[in-house]
Amino acid sequence: MESNWTRPYRPGIGRWLVIVWEAAALALFAWATIRQFDLTGHHVTLVGCTMAALWVVGAHRILQMGAYVGVTGLRIHGLLRSRTMHWREVAHVRLHKATHRVGPWEIESGMTVLIDRHDGSTINTELWAQGVDFHSRPGVFRAVYHELRTRHQKATS
C-alpha cells in the first residue's frame, strides 16, 4: 500500500470540543486521585504527567480518526485501531440508517457510511451524519460519501 493518504474532508469543530472535554475530565480525575489518596510531592507529579501523556495520546488519535483515501485503497482510522483495505477488497460503499435498541424502544441515530467487503464482513467507519465532523454540515457528509463511492467505482472498473 502507498504512504500517501488524504482525508476527503476537514475535521469539524466538534473534535476540538471533545479534546477540551477530555482534558477537563482527566484533570478532574487527577485532582480526585490526588485528594483520595493524599498524594504529595513526586506522586502528584507522576499522576499529573501520566494524565498529560494520556491526554496527548488520546487527542492525537481523535484528531487522526476518519476515513482516508488513496489510489490503491481505503484506510479507516478509529480511536483504538486502524484498517487498510485495497479497493478490490471492497464490495460496496453504502449508507446505513443506524438505530439502537433500548429495551422495547428503537432510537434512530442517523446515517452512517459502511464498507461491505467481498468476504461478507462489514467495516464501520467514523463517518456519521450526526457526528463531530458533519453535525452541522450535511452537505459535506454527502460529498464524502459520494467521493468514497466514486473512488471505489473508478478503482474497480
Side-chain angles (χ1 to χ4, degrees), residues 72-154:
T72 59
L74 174 67
R75 179 173 282 174
I76 306 295
H77 279 282
L79 185 61
L80 299 177
R81 74 180 212 177
S82 298
R83 290 181 176 213
T84 303
M85 297 166 278
H86 286 279
W87 285 119
R88 67 179 177 270
E89 296 174 37
V90 177
H92 301 286
V93 177
R94 65 181 170 96
L95 285 177
H96 174 72
K97 189 176 187 178
T99 58
H100 301 284
R101 195 165 251 328
V102 179
W105 301 285
E106 199 168 280
I107 301 168
E108 290 186 23
S109 61
M111 300 301 283
T112 185
V113 176
L114 294 180
I115 308 297
D116 293 327
R117 296 178 56 172
H118 286 294
D119 65 5
S121 62
T122 301
I123 308 297
N124 293 323
T125 67
E126 307 301 326
L127 305 174
W128 177 42
Q130 300 300 319
V132 295
D133 290 326
F134 307 111
H135 183 70
S136 60
R137 307 182 310 166
V140 175
F141 177 75
R142 286 191 299 277
V144 170
Y145 167 66
H146 289 300
E147 172 76 14
L148 292 178
R149 284 186 54 107
T150 302
R151 290 229 186 191
H152 174 249
Q153 289 170 347
K154 282 182 184 176

Side-chain angles (χ1 to χ4, degrees), residues 46-69:
L46 180 65
V47 169
C49 289
T50 302
M51 294 303 150
L54 281 173
W55 180 77
V56 168
V57 169
H60 176 71
R61 287 302 292 184
I62 288 170
L63 288 173
Q64 296 302 313
M65 285 173 59
Y68 292 79
V69 293

